[in-house]
RNA sequence: GCGGGAAUGGCGGAAUGGUAGACGCGUUGGUCUCAAACACCAAUAACUUCACGGUUGUGCGAGUUCGAGUCUCGCUUCCCGCACCA
């Protein structure tokens, strides 16, 4: 009887499907368990071995819980709206729905291939109109509600309308925009329908409004903050700029405190909770209004967390975008301010970040009055004050804040110490709160804890400020100028948005001729011919909202749809909801920490408020699976020209960084040019490149010139020449660098030659070396290839290497994220073909803890493969077939079995799948040694291994004579009595160090153990005749003798 | 800078405060074989010893304890996230 996974695995997968083994019903007497993995975006690349890690762990728990007697909901679906399908459509003209469908089929095939127990009858696809009608429905509900601060929940907007008609909005405590006008009932009633609707937009939980957004021109769309990384788009890495646009917003800020508080109710990883807390960014402080000298009608509001430092204020800074800047600027300063604003606006996010803490700013000529001491302080603008946070104005306290201190030093402003414990103000700021206040009027002599309440009370009495809590969290931009997303179910009438009737849902995505924005810059949906809305009873038609929803819309509630996927009356029916309630265990990647997981919580809180879901938090427990990384093969260009240039640059760079306002770009630096060229005040660039004709160079040239920098471009050819002929080098670089001749001749050149000694040096610069290339060919580390070998690598076929005939390349590996473009993807199908799905599943678990990221490495898989064969062998040691003994187990066999039951049960419960696999291996090895083939021992093992290796378990289960699925078996219990052994091998420590061991009966008393231990020769030797001070005996564990 | 996490053999990784290195890979030796592969058996932290044994060992330094990889305090390094947030 041979173990042949390729025969038994497909057989049982088919059988499970035919028998609907994994279909689950929404009722029953069993307790429920809802386990969920984050659904994937079905990309064109298919699954790689990293994806199933979480799914397999998920599957093990799902199957385990089922054996433990739970009714388990274990669904799967697809987050099938998204940008890649749309970009693919733009390139190929293939409708995203078709491409997405194909991708889904492929995903399904791959998922099925590893034997996951999903109930596919509950599959959801976010791009399916039957699904997104409910995404649209939820959107409409959000539109129709506002956040009431008295009730501390969302309430219907119609309530607000009634209140406005009776008493205006002065007494209403609701979350609204800062610029919401105050009106009386009479004023409200006198307004037109249109005007009333416009006012209501200030309150609705979703609303269109002008906002600075992250605009990505290359993608033709707005991105949310979490879709922007390091100033470029997360997807594609395109530049992102700030732009004022009309967009739908979600008033998530209304829920900031509840989203913060809710984190305390869920069992989620601390790092995820912290990321969310950080994103919400609650800070408690005070707002203070400063009057402005010579502008009696104006004041500036600042927010501070250190109101206690208010007597130390010596200047004020506004964001360049602050609305008062123009008004306050004096004529004398106008030129300077305007040029600063222009400069700041042209600075990209990347530049701002790269330049770090460099002080910039400009004086407006105006002065603000500190309300506490009536001192005038100069008003500056600077772009370190963010336009998007707080009041866009800060008070400068150089004695207490290092950044303010730097600013004051730079602009030569006063620094007033305010605490008696403060250190020398000439050296640095002192942000500590120690000591008692000085120079501080009202609070002189008080401590930090005493000061703030005094100041806030004074402010509130004077009505020029108050205690205030501020959040970093901003309302979420909800519009995307895309095609492949849920249409926003709104239409426009007289410039006011209305929701379409619920009976007209779903608002189906129309067909368009092209998936690009129109010539006039409108979203692709503007291309849909005759796509207009005609409300019931109206003869008119109106233009639909043309933007679509963001990727996170459909994923913010999908966990409810699984409960009741075919319901046509509601997004989830009340019975299904009452049964399943919420997700018991949610598994997914940590990369969704603030995106999906925060938005989902927000929608869930809203749905809870309107009584549509029973729990405030949708997922009680969350586990993050780690990432499985790939091993990328690299070919490094070594030696010869590129390397020489590279070394030259390495040698020159530090020198110039120290001495001159000069930056040097390296060859092949396309990816990093934005960073390399954010060089602040530098005035000269030497650029080394072989692609000076490209657009990017032009861009850099323009940037440099606009910044008033001189730019010199050396091509690679020129530099190579220069290196080959020292005189030319010196000459060329002398021209560029004026007085750097000595350095070039005497230091750089000799150093460069020293560095030449070993080409292994290049590995030192791996990270900076821009000469490494991903390959799909696996070379041994350290291999040196010649040009011909490299040309034979497929993806380099057409690459234009400027190498001499004796040019060499070295090879190496690095661990990176798995990605098609890095040629390091391992397909699970290949693993399944070679070793079987059971082996693949167990091996993924065996690699280490599920939560930990680790590189994929196939080396150890033979161990798991061998184990499965041995396990199989327990059932049929004879060639003939199954050979199972029916006699009763002996003590040793029972001990092995029950130890295994106990350990595996404990370990699945604590999500430690890797150690479970070890326990199976141990039990199998021991039973083999005993030649055990008894049904009473092996059958429970078959049940236990089912969650890990379902195919082999099902096969053996049937071979053992069962004809229903092993999935419906019962998880075995262990008996503590069987775990005991007759004797225990006790370690004997002397002063905590292991010196001997002794076998004692398991029921030995402390006194017996002590005398037995002391009787040992080895122990006596270590006692050296002394009598022990103390003997510690831990039954079943150890003996420690203290001398 | 702030927050979270990690550090254990050649490698992946085990260890409710109780014999550190389970389990697997790799390596070495052996059995089987004409041979190889597979399989099986044995050894495998380092140093030292013919051997018995001994010494040192969980990033570093202290501490608590009969006993610390595990707990406490102080560092170092690495990874992840956030970051001019007032």
């Amino acid at each position: 009887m041979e173990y042949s996974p390729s025969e038994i695995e497909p057989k049982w997968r088919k059988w499970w499907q035919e028998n609907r083994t994994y279909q689950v019903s929404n009722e029953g007497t069993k307790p429920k368990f809802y386990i969920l993995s984050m659904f994937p975006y079905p990309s064109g690349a298919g699954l790689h071995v990293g994806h199933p890690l979480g799914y397999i762990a998920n599957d093990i728990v799902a199957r385990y819980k089922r054996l433990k007697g739970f009714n388990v909901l274990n669904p799967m679906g697809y987050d099938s709206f998204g940008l890649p399908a749309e970009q693919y459509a733009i390139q190929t003209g293939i409708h995203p729905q078709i491409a997405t469908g194909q991708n889904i089929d492929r995903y399904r095939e791959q998922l099925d291939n590893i034997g996951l127990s999903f109930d596919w009858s509950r599959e959801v696809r976010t791009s399916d109109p039957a699904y997104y009608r409910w995404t649209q429905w939820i959107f409409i509900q959000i539109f129709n509600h506002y956040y009431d601060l008295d009730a501390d929940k969302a309430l219907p907007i119609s309530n607000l309308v009634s209140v406005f008609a009776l008493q205006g909005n002065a007494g209403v405590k609701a979350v609204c925009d800062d610029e919401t006008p105050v009106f009386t009932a009479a004023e409200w009633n006198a307004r037109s329908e249109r005007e009333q609707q416009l006012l209501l937009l200030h309150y609705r939980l979703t609303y269109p409004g002008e906002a600075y957004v992250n605009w990505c021109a290359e993608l033709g769309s707005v991105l949310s903050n979490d879709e922007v990384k390091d100033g470029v788009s997360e997807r594609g890495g395109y530049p992102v700029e700030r732009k004022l646009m009309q967009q739908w917003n979600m008033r998530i800020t209304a829920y900031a405190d509840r989203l913060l508080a809710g984190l305390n109710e869920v069992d989620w990883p601390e790092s995820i909770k912290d990321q969310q807390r950080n994103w919400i960014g609650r800070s408690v402080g005070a707002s203070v209004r400063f009057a402005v000298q010579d502008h009696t009608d104006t004041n500036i509001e600042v927010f501070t967390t250190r109101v206690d430092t208010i007597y130390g204020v010596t200047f004020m800074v506004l964001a360049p975008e602050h609305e008062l800047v123009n008004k306050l600027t004096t004529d004398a300063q106008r030129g300077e301010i305007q040029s600063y604003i222009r400069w700041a606006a042209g600075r990209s996010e990347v530049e701002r970040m790269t330049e770090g803490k460099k002080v910039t700013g400009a004086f407006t000529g105006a002065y603000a009055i500190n309300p506490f001491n009536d001192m005038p302080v100069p008003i500056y603008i600077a772009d370190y004050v963010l336009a998007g946070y707080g009041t866009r104005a800060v008070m400068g306290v150089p004695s207490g804040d290092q950044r303010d201190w730097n600013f004051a030093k730079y602009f030569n402003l006063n620094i007033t110490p305010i605490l008696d414990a403060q250190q020398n103000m000439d050296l640095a700021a002192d942000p500590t709160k120690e000591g008692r206040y000085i120079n501080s009027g009202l609070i002189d002599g008080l401590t930090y804890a005493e000061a703030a309440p005094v100041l806030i009370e004074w402010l509130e009495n004077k009505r020029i400020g108050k205690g205030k809590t501020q959040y970093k969290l901003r309302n979420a931009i909800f519009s995307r100028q895309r095609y492949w997303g849920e249409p926003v179910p709104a239409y426009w009438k007289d410039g006011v948005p209305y929701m379409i009737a619920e009976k007209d849902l779903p608002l189906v995505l129309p067909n368009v001729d092209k998936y690009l924005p129109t010539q006039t810059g409108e979203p692709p949906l503007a291309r849909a011919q005759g796509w207009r809305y005609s409300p019931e009873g109206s003869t008119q038609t109106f233009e639909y909202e043309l933007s679509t929803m963001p990727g996170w819309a459909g994923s913010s509630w999908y966990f409810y749809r699984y409960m009741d996927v075919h319901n046509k009356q509601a997004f989830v029916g009340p019975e299904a909801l009452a049964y399943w309630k919420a997700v018991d265990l949610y598994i997914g990647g940590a990369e969704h920490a603030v995106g999906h997981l925060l938005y989902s919580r927000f929608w869930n809180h809203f749905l809870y408020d309107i009584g549509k879901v029973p729990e405030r938090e949708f997922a009680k427990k969350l586990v993050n699976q780690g990432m499985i990384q790939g091993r990328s093969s690299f070919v490094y260009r070594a030696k010869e020209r590129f390397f020489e240039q590279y070394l030259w640059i390495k040698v020159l760079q530090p020198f110039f960084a120290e001495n001159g306002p000069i930056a040097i770009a390296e060859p092949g630096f396309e990816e990093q040019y934005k960073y390399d060229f954010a060089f602040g005040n530098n005035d000269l660039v030497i650029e080394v490149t072989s692609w000076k004709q490209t657009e990017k160079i032009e861009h850099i040239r323009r940037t440099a010139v606009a910044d008033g920098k001189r730019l010199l471009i050396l091509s690679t050819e020129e530099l190579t020449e220069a290196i080959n002929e020292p005189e030319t080098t010196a000459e060329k670089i002398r021209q560029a660098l004026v007085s750097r001749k000595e350095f070039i001749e005497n230091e750089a050149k000799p150093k460069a030659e020293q560095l030449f000694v070993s080409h292994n040096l290049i590995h030192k610069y791996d990270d900076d070396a821009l000469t490494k290339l991903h390959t799909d060919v696996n070379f041994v580390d350290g291999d040196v290839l010649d040009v011909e070998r490299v040309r034979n690598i497929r993806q380099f076929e057409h690459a234009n290497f400027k190498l001499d005939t004796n040019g060499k390349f070295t090879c190496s590996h690095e661990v990176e994220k798995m990605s098609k473009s890095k040629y390091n993807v391992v397909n699970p199908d290949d693993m399944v073909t070679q070793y079987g799905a059971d082996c693949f599943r167990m091996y993924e678990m065996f690699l280490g803890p599920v939560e930990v990221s680790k590189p994929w490495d196939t080396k150890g898989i033979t161990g798991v493969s061998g184990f499965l064969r041995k396990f199989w062998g327990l059932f049929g040691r004879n060639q003939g077939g199954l050979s199972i003994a029916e006699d009763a187990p002996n003590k040793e066999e029972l001990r092995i079995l029950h130890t295994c039951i106990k350990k595996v049960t404990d370990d699945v419960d604590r999500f430690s799948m890797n150690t479970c696999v070890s326990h199976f291996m141990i039990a199998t090895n021991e039973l083999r040694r005993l030649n055990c083939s008894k049904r009473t021992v092996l059958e429970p093992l078959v049940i236990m291994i089912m969650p890990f290796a379902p195919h082999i378990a099902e096969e053996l289960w049937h071979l053992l004579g069962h004809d229903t699925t092993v999935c419906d078996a019962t998880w075995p219990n262990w008996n503590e009595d069987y775990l005991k052994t007759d004797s225990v091998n006790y370690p004997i420590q002397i002063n905590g160090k292991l010196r001997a061991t002794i076998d004692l009966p398991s029921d030995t008393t402390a006194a017996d153990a002590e005398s037995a231990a002391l009787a040992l020769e080895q122990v006596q030797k270590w006692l050296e005749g002394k009598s022990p001070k103390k003997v510690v005996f831990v039954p079943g564990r150890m003996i420690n003798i203290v001398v």
Side-chain angles (χ1 to χ4, degrees):
Chain A
M1 199 172 82
E2 277 285 298
Y3 172 52
S4 169
S6 59
E7 280 172 35
I8 63 175
E9 290 185 350
K11 179 177 80 184
W12 290 113
R13 283 201 284 269
K14 192 159 163 264
W15 191 83
W16 291 325
Q17 203 178 349
E18 285 164 359
N19 288 279
R20 301 183 181 184
T21 306
Y22 302 130
Q23 270 191 31
V24 58
S25 81
N26 283 356
E27 55 194 15
T29 50
K30 292 179 184 174
K32 69 99 187 183
F33 188 79
Y34 184 4
I35 183 167
L36 181 67
S37 276
M38 292 180 187
F39 63 169
Y41 173 78
S43 82
L47 290 175
H48 60 64
V49 291
H51 295 112
L53 184 75
Y55 302 153
I56 294 168
N58 175 108
D59 200 51
I60 288 167
V61 176
R63 289 169 179 275
Y64 166 77
K65 285 283 179 183
R66 180 166 173 178
L67 292 174
K68 287 281 244 179
F70 287 84
N71 191 28
V72 179
L73 177 55
N74 180 31
M76 184 42 80
Y78 304 97
D79 188 13
S80 50
F81 270 134
L83 207 45
E86 181 162 333
Q87 285 178 315
Y88 185 71
I90 290 169
Q91 286 161 20
T92 62
I94 295 170
H95 195 284
Q97 181 156 14
I98 294 168
T100 303
Q102 287 167 350
N103 292 346
I104 286 177
D105 290 344
R106 171 142 172 66
Y107 264 61
R108 177 66 191 275
E109 216 174 284
Q110 288 184 296
L111 290 171
D112 281 347
N113 211 7
I114 43 184
L116 301 171
S117 64
F118 295 124
D119 178 356
W120 285 106
S121 70
R122 293 171 183 259
E123 181 199 287
V124 303
R125 300 180 184 195
T126 56
S127 61
D128 181 351
Y131 178 89
Y132 69 66
R133 81 170 277 176
W134 297 111
T135 311
Q136 292 172 330
W137 181 86
I138 293 170
F139 180 85
I140 293 174
Q141 309 314 308
I142 296 173
F143 182 78
N144 286 333
H145 285 79
Y146 74 103
Y147 199 90
D148 191 284
L149 287 167
D150 283 328
D152 199 23
K153 62 188 274 196
L155 291 176
I157 198 92
S158 52
N159 291 13
L160 211 49
V161 174
S162 323
V163 174
F164 288 169
L166 289 173
Q167 58 179 69
N169 72 345
V172 170
K173 288 178 80 182
V175 177
C176 61
D177 295 335
D178 291 344
E179 60 271 22
T180 310
V182 180
F183 50 82
T184 62
E187 283 168 332
W188 169 262
N189 292 324
R191 299 276 165 95
S192 68
E193 154 78 11
R194 180 176 179 278
E195 287 167 334
Q196 289 182 345
Q197 287 299 325
L198 286 173
L199 284 173
L200 288 176
L201 291 179
H202 292 288
Y203 291 90
R204 293 184 187 274
L205 283 173
T206 184
Y207 58 97
E210 291 237 306
Y212 277 101
V213 297
N214 302 304
W215 172 252
C216 179
E218 308 237 8
L219 294 175
S221 186
V222 165
L223 302 175
S224 65
N225 284 338
D226 56 296
E227 288 169 318
V228 181
K229 290 270 181 302
D230 299 335
V232 298
S233 66
E234 192 182 27
R235 206 175 269 284
Y238 301 114
V240 172
E241 56 179 305
R242 296 181 54 70
K243 197 174 166 185
L244 198 62
M245 287 180 77
Q246 166 125 325
Q247 300 289 333
W248 284 89
N249 291 271
M250 285 277 164
R251 215 179 288 280
I252 188 174
T253 48
Y255 284 87
D257 270 328
R258 281 173 56 185
L259 289 171
L260 218 42
L263 291 172
N264 299 326
E265 322 180 349
V266 291
D267 179 9
W268 286 16
E270 207 48 46
S271 66
I272 298 284
K273 292 195 198 180
D274 269 334
Q275 282 181 59
Q276 294 211 351
R277 288 187 189 113
N278 193 305
W279 190 260
I280 294 167
R282 185 175 196 258
S283 51
V284 179
S287 72
V288 183
R289 281 202 302 278
F290 282 63
V292 183
Q293 211 167 49
D294 305 328
H295 290 269
T296 48
D297 57 337
T298 302
N299 50 55
I300 300 170
E301 187 179 349
V302 300
F303 175 75
T304 176
T305 53
R306 290 290 305 275
V307 68
D308 60 296
T309 64
I310 193 123
Y311 285 95
V313 173
T314 57
F315 62 95
M316 175 165 295
V317 188
L318 309 182
E321 296 89 343
H322 196 283
E323 57 280 3
L324 291 175
V325 171
N326 195 34
K327 182 176 177 187
L328 300 183
T329 303
T330 58
D331 289 339
Q333 291 300 109
R334 196 162 298 275
E336 193 185 327
I337 288 289
Q338 278 171 355
S339 74
Y340 183 80
I341 291 174
R342 216 177 306 121
W343 174 82
R347 241 155 59 111
S348 69
E349 283 292 315
V350 175
E351 283 169 330
R352 283 173 63 144
M353 287 192 311
T354 315
E355 287 170 41
K357 309 268 185 262
K358 193 158 52 77
V359 177
T360 66
F363 180 43
T364 60
Y367 290 83
I369 308 293
N370 184 340
F372 284 89
N373 58 12
D374 295 327
M375 293 273 283
V377 296
I379 302 172
Y380 281 74
I381 63 170
D383 69 351
Y384 82 82
V385 178
L386 304 177
Y389 180 73
T391 59
R392 296 179 294 279
V394 303
M395 57 188 218
V397 185
S399 57
D401 181 282
Q402 189 57 42
R403 193 188 43 208
D404 290 349
W405 187 91
N406 294 346
F407 196 86
K409 278 285 170 191
Y410 187 86
F411 286 106
N412 220 0
L413 301 165
N414 290 334
I415 299 174
T416 312
I418 44 162
L419 279 160
D420 56 7
Q422 260 165 352
Q423 304 302 309
N424 187 349
M425 282 295 129
D426 290 338
L427 300 174
D430 179 6
T432 63
K433 301 154 183 169
E434 283 146 28
R436 290 177 182 279
Y437 291 93
I438 53 173
N439 305 322
S440 292
L442 272 180
I443 53 168
D444 268 341
L446 299 186
T447 62
Y448 173 73
E450 297 158 350
V454 173
L455 296 167
I456 289 173
E457 193 189 340
W458 188 88
L459 283 169
E460 288 177 353
N461 285 340
K462 291 249 179 185
R463 299 188 171 279
I464 51 171
K466 59 183 179 196
K468 189 178 174 185
T469 302
Q470 185 90 31
Y471 299 91
K472 269 194 271 184
L473 183 72
R474 289 180 239 168
N475 284 335
I477 310 276
F478 196 71
S479 300
R480 297 291 182 273
Q481 283 60 47
R482 291 181 193 156
Y483 174 74
W484 191 233
E486 300 88 345
V488 173
Y491 65 94
W492 290 83
K493 184 169 122 185
D494 297 337
V496 180
Y498 290 85
M499 292 296 115
I500 69 173
E502 288 185 17
K503 70 167 182 57
D504 293 328
L505 293 175
L507 173 57
V508 178
L509 205 50
N511 277 319
V512 295
D513 58 341
K514 283 187 191 135
Y515 305 103
L516 290 163
T518 63
Q519 296 284 325
T520 51
E522 289 170 302
L525 285 183
R527 294 176 173 278
Q529 300 291 319
W531 194 53
R532 294 175 71 83
Y533 185 64
S534 172
E536 192 169 24
S538 167
T539 52
Q540 280 179 286
T541 63
F542 300 97
E543 191 175 82
Y544 281 118
E545 165 65 35
L546 294 178
S547 60
T548 55
M549 298 190 194
W552 55 267
S555 60
S556 291
W557 68 279
Y558 75 111
F559 28 87
Y560 289 116
R561 193 61 183 166
Y562 286 134
M563 296 176 182
D564 198 10
V565 73
H566 302 296
N567 194 318
K568 292 201 162 64
Q569 267 61 59
F571 71 100
V572 55
E575 303 81 19
L577 201 54
Y579 184 72
W580 296 111
K581 293 188 175 69
V583 177
D584 294 292
L585 177 60
Y586 196 24
I587 298 169
E591 66 272 21
H592 297 108
V594 289
H596 162 60
L597 287 172
L598 190 64
Y599 296 131
S600 297
R601 293 183 58 226
F602 161 44
W603 279 32
N604 195 75
H605 275 266
F606 169 76
L607 292 170
Y608 175 80
D609 282 356
I610 65 170
K612 298 292 180 187
V613 302
E615 305 271 347
R616 279 192 297 254
E617 295 294 336
F618 76 93
K620 290 175 197 158
K621 183 174 168 71
L622 174 75
V623 172
N624 287 129
Q625 92 259 18
M627 207 161 9
I628 293 202
Q629 295 129 323
R631 202 172 122 93
S632 306
S633 303
F634 286 110
V635 165
Y636 293 84
R637 296 173 182 167
K639 278 275 210 180
E640 303 311 324
R641 295 189 185 178
F642 286 100
F643 186 49
E644 289 175 36
Q645 290 159 19
Y646 177 68
L647 284 179
W648 261 99
I649 287 154
K650 280 289 157 199
V651 170
L652 294 172
Q653 202 170 32
F655 176 86
F656 294 131
E658 261 171 52
N659 295 282
I662 290 165
I664 301 176
E666 303 174 0
F669 71 132
E670 291 103 316
E671 286 174 15
Q672 288 176 339
Y673 78 98
K674 293 185 221 78
Y675 301 90
D676 290 346
F677 279 84
F679 28 73
N681 289 334
N682 301 344
D683 65 3
L684 178 65
V685 183
I686 305 171
E687 184 184 320
V688 186
T689 177
S690 59
W691 35 271
K692 59 183 169 181
Q693 301 305 321
T694 67
E695 249 181 66
K696 280 168 183 166
I697 286 301
E698 273 312 304
H699 173 80
I700 292 160
R701 194 198 305 276
R702 278 201 305 275
T703 312
V705 170
D707 288 353
K709 297 165 191 167
R710 285 175 292 146
L711 181 72
L712 173 80
I713 296 183
L714 289 178
S715 76
T716 39
E717 292 81 2
E718 285 167 324
L719 188 65
T720 306
E721 241 172 70
I723 290 166
N724 291 342
E725 291 173 62
E727 291 315 308
T728 321
T729 308
E731 192 49 41
K732 275 181 186 280
I733 297 180
R734 190 183 306 120
Q735 285 169 12
L737 307 181
V738 200
S739 60
R740 302 286 189 246
K741 176 180 156 194
E742 268 185 34
F743 167 75
I744 300 295
E745 301 275 22
N746 302 333
E747 297 193 46
K749 187 64 176 47
K751 259 192 204 162
E753 276 165 358
Q754 277 174 14
L755 287 172
F756 259 25
V757 173
S758 162
H759 74 257
N760 287 333
L761 251 177
I762 194 141
H763 295 298
K764 273 194 174 172
Y765 299 124
D766 275 356
D767 290 346
D768 298 337
L770 297 152
T771 50
K772 72 183 183 188
L773 303 159
H774 283 96
T775 79
D776 59 351
V777 184
N778 223 335
F779 294 106
V780 177
D781 282 8
D783 266 359
V784 178
L785 311 181
D786 58 23
V787 188
E788 282 315 304
R789 290 275 307 277
V790 171
R791 280 205 190 290
N792 286 332
I793 299 172
R794 187 154 40 93
Q795 71 264 35
F796 300 154
E797 253 168 3
H798 306 294
N800 183 19
F801 293 123
K802 294 193 173 88
L803 275 181
D804 294 337
T805 43
N806 61 349
K808 292 281 192 274
F809 297 81
T810 46
C811 306
S812 173
H813 290 89
E814 274 175 41
V815 170
E816 292 184 303
K817 201 174 160 177
M818 268 201 190
S819 144
K820 215 174 164 183
S821 64
K822 298 182 169 103
Y823 303 100
N824 61 1
V825 171
V826 182
N827 188 331
D829 292 341
D830 297 341
M831 292 293 118
V832 171
T833 307
Q834 204 174 344
Y835 298 98
D838 287 337
C839 181
F840 173 67
R841 291 166 61 108
M842 284 195 113
Y843 182 58
E844 285 236 348
M845 293 300 103
F846 191 57
L847 277 176
V850 178
E851 297 89 337
V852 175
S853 291
K854 54 236 157 194
W856 176 256
D857 185 355
T858 328
K859 264 199 318 223
I861 200 167
T862 53
V864 176
S865 176
F867 153 73
L868 282 170
R869 241 177 293 120
K870 285 182 207 170
F871 183 76
W872 176 269
L874 291 176
F875 295 78
R877 218 73 56 76
N878 306 330
Q879 286 293 344
L882 194 73
S883 60
I884 290 294
E886 300 292 345
D887 33 342
N890 63 36
K891 216 172 172 187
E892 181 68 355
E893 290 162 345
L894 283 174
R895 186 191 58 78
I896 295 166
L897 172 66
H898 284 254
T899 305
C900 188
I901 298 173
K902 178 181 160 70
K903 294 210 162 187
V904 172
T905 308
D906 285 350
D907 284 358
V908 176
D909 281 334
R910 62 191 185 98
F911 219 73
S912 173
M913 309 306 176
N914 54 330
T915 50
C916 289
V917 179
S918 303
H919 301 319
F920 285 124
M921 288 172 167
I922 293 167
T924 302
N925 288 340
E926 291 185 342
L927 291 174
R928 252 165 75 87
R929 208 162 289 129
L930 295 177
N931 254 317
C932 173
S933 59
K934 293 171 186 166
R935 174 185 293 272
T936 43
V937 177
L938 298 186
E939 203 164 271
L941 284 175
V942 169
I943 297 170
M944 277 200 292
I945 210 167
M946 187 280 280
F948 298 84
H951 308 84
I952 194 174
E954 194 73 89
E955 173 75 14
L956 290 169
W957 184 249
H958 282 74
L959 285 175
L960 286 169
H962 300 273
D963 48 18
T964 56
T965 176
V966 64
C967 298
D968 287 331
T970 302
W971 187 263
N973 291 315
W974 74 88
N975 182 338
E976 284 286 343
D977 293 340
Y978 295 149
L979 304 183
K980 289 177 188 151
T981 46
D982 293 337
S983 70
V984 178
N985 182 245
Y986 278 97
I988 300 173
Q989 298 178 347
I990 291 165
N991 289 336
K993 282 193 191 254
L994 179 71
R995 294 302 182 194
T997 61
I998 185 170
D999 277 325
L1000 293 170
S1002 39
D1003 54 357
T1004 306
T1005 63
D1008 290 348
E1010 181 176 340
S1011 53
L1014 289 174
L1016 283 182
E1017 197 183 318
Q1018 303 101 298
V1019 173
Q1020 283 305 321
K1021 190 177 94 187
W1022 282 98
L1023 289 180
E1024 292 168 340
K1026 288 176 254 176
S1027 62
K1029 282 193 194 129
K1030 182 177 173 184
V1031 176
V1032 180
F1033 175 69
V1034 184
R1037 277 290 174 195
M1038 47 66 69
I1039 301 163
N1040 190 13
I1041 299 167
V1042 187
V1043 183

